[in-house]
Amino acid sequence: MANGQWYPPEWPERIRALADGTLTPVLPRRAATVMLLRDMPAGPAVHMLRRRASMAFAGGAYAYPGGGVDPRDDDRDIRWAGPSRAWWADRLGVDETGAQAIVCAAVRETYEEAGVLLAGPAPDSVVGDTTGADWEADRASLVARELSFAEFLDRRGLVLRSDLLGAWARWITPEFEARRYDTWFFVAALPEGQRTRNASTEADRTVWIRPAEAAARYDKGELLMMPPTIATLRELSPYGTAAEALAAAPARDMTPVLARARLVDGEIVLSWPGHDEFTKHIPTTTGGGPA
């Protein structure tokens, strides 16, 4: 039975073009995504959204809230709490400016797409209910890029709680993909008093689901996902609480995962190092599809 691995039909031709030198890879854009967890009687559930089928990238696939870094996410005036920028730079494998931008993007995108805000009026507090017309107006301004996240925090007297995030993994979109992202995956627990909502214009539904259940439905072909999504779901499955997953984050290997394509015995073998389940065998003749 086929699983739910997202696989664009144009990939084989683009892989061939990359192999013969007629395709120049685009530079990946930095991005961040957050696996938001909530404790349930049967174990933690993760918040996922389904991308609209009309989306050019991964339409119909389930994913986590997230998106690209905004050029203003590295604003040095941003209110900040938790580990220092230098600590995050070492953890994420970038410079301090890049580290702030990535962490800021993770918090901002979670608020923009799920209505959940990892920030508080003090370094040891977090906001409660973020629903209401005034909050929604600010969220809409962030989405429209009329308001930077630094300006938003300053306006409300809030500080970004970087300590509520745990860096989990890093995946880079394959070189042959037209839209490429260098994405850092984070884990976080849903703050008390807050609740998620489908605030994203890119999603047609959201769901709280146990990682093991989501993975099982992917295996049955019921849920469509990209390799990084199903890989991180499988990694989250053993943890009994959100706190356990967060506690495990500092020891996670942040070496980037980048797919590679190579010619073996007359066919293209597409693989993701360390993740054998995603390996695809593609005939070199035009018109072939993945095996």
Side-chain angles (χ1 to χ4, degrees):
M1 180 182 295
N3 60 26
Q5 184 175 341
W6 178 72
Y7 190 94
E10 68 272 14
W11 269 14
E13 190 58 40
R14 294 186 64 85
I15 291 172
R16 296 184 193 102
L18 180 67
D20 63 25
T22 59
L23 174 66
T24 301
V26 299
L27 291 176
R29 179 186 177 190
R30 285 181 172 178
T33 189
V34 176
M35 301 177 288
L36 198 60
L37 299 175
R38 181 178 71 179
D39 286 328
M40 306 285 281
V46 63
H47 179 70
M48 304 189 75
L49 52 83
R50 184 176 67 186
R51 295 173 59 83
R52 294 185 184 277
S54 59
M55 296 297 294
F57 183 80
Y62 280 78
Y64 312 113
V69 167
D70 184 289
R72 298 169 297 176
D73 284 337
D74 63 6
D75 190 333
R76 293 297 296 185
D77 294 328
I78 196 167
R79 293 169 176 257
W80 186 275
S84 69
R85 293 166 177 80
W87 185 93
W88 278 108
D90 181 67
R91 182 75 183 108
L92 302 179
V94 297
D95 60 22
E96 291 187 29
T97 299
Q100 175 181 296
I102 293 162
V103 171
C104 185
V107 176
R108 176 181 51 75
E109 287 285 343
T110 302
Y111 181 56
E112 289 182 8
E113 296 202 333
V116 171
L117 183 58
L118 303 177
D124 59 352
S125 65
V126 66
V127 296
D129 187 8
T130 59
T131 60
D134 60 333
W135 284 103
E136 181 56 27
D138 279 351
R139 192 196 66 78
S141 293
L142 285 169
V143 172
R145 299 297 180 260
E146 299 168 352
L147 186 68
S148 74
F149 199 60
E151 292 168 337
F152 165 73
L153 293 175
D154 187 60
R155 172 186 295 184
R156 290 188 169 270
L158 300 174
V159 294
L160 181 153
R161 291 285 306 276
S162 75
D163 55 314
L164 298 181
L165 289 169
W168 193 265
R170 180 182 178 185
W171 288 66
I172 302 176
T173 308
E175 292 182 331
F176 44 81
E177 177 56 57
R179 292 175 176 80
R180 300 189 64 209
Y181 298 92
D182 185 351
T183 304
W184 282 261
F185 286 72
F186 296 86
V187 64
L190 178 69
E192 185 176 352
Q194 294 193 37
R195 58 183 186 272
T196 57
R197 63 186 187 277
N198 184 6
S200 174
T201 58
E202 299 180 354
D204 59 13
R205 70 166 301 193
T206 62
V207 63
W208 281 100
I209 187 170
R210 289 187 303 108
E213 179 185 349
R217 294 184 62 184
Y218 164 91
D219 290 336
K220 295 177 182 178
E222 297 175 357
L223 299 183
L224 186 67
M225 299 180 201
M226 294 176 283
T229 309
I230 180 59
T232 49
L233 279 172
R234 295 200 198 283
E235 291 162 355
L236 285 173
S237 295
Y239 298 99
T241 66
E244 287 180 10
L246 277 165
R252 295 278 308 167
D253 182 6
M254 296 298 291
T255 302
V257 179
L258 173 64
R260 61 179 182 177
R262 63 190 190 280
L263 187 63
V264 179
D265 295 331
E267 66 178 4
I268 296 171
V269 178
L270 174 60
S271 61
W272 281 257
H275 300 272
D276 293 343
E277 71 167 296
F278 306 128
T279 300
K280 295 288 184 181
H281 297 263
I282 306 164
T284 56
T285 56
T286 302

